[in-house]
Amino acid sequence: LADWAGCGVVVSRGGDTAVAGEPPAGGWQIRVQDITGPVDQAPAQGPYDTVGLRSGGLATSGTSARRWQRGGYDLHHIVDPRTGLPVRSPWRTVSVAAATCADANAATTAALVKGAGAERWLTRLGLPARLVAHNGTVVTTPGWPAPLAALEAAA
């Protein structure tokens, strides 16, 4: 799209964002949050950051949305392949920047499944990440920017 349009582009869908071409000054401003809601309003609850994405992809996966009850159990859409049940993770949300949106999405889901130690695993992979615990504590890996700082996706 960037080559065809001759300018920088951003494509975002359901918590996954890809950018290409020349970014605006400071990068494409992307809000990362736990609770889904209108894009023109800051979330009423839960921590959030706004980061500038210059290249690659940024994805967020979590267990707080896409939830339902069945047979008295709380369920969600991230499945632990070891048990076939919804994953039980210390993290409610994981956001990752990577060279591509697909790589970022795979890393966020894997981090939720990995659970404890996911922040060390993402650090070893060199992926900038933001993990939010169920109590709202935010943990970041090296490379995750301070709010409004530019984020270079991991190559």
Side-chain angles (χ1 to χ4, degrees):
L1 287 174
D3 289 342
W4 179 80
C7 64
V9 296
V10 60
V11 177
S12 183
R13 174 108 165 83
D16 298 346
T17 302
V19 301
E22 186 67 27
W28 296 99
Q29 298 302 299
I30 310 295
R31 187 173 65 219
V32 178
Q33 64 189 47
D34 294 333
I35 309 297
T36 57
V39 296
D40 60 342
Q41 298 173 14
Q45 58 185 3
Y48 68 95
D49 277 341
T50 301
V51 297
L53 184 62
R54 295 184 180 278
S55 64
L58 177 68
T60 298
S61 292
T63 60
S64 297
R66 299 185 192 147
R67 296 185 70 85
W68 62 94
Q69 281 199 330
R70 184 173 208 173
Y73 294 98
D74 288 326
L75 304 173
H76 59 77
H77 73 293
I78 307 283
V79 175
D80 187 331
R82 297 168 291 209
T83 65
L85 298 171
V87 70
R88 295 179 62 126
S89 178
W91 311 112
R92 69 181 186 206
T93 306
V94 177
S95 299
V96 171
T100 69
C101 191
D103 289 345
N105 182 278
T108 61
T109 304
L112 285 168
V113 171
K114 185 171 261 315
E119 68 280 18
R120 292 185 301 279
W121 175 73
L122 291 163
T123 297
R124 281 194 306 274
L125 292 175
L127 295 173
R130 176 183 182 270
L131 302 92
V132 181
H134 288 283
N135 68 3
T137 301
V138 176
V139 175
T140 59
T141 65
W144 188 264
L148 298 179
L151 179 62
E152 293 290 340

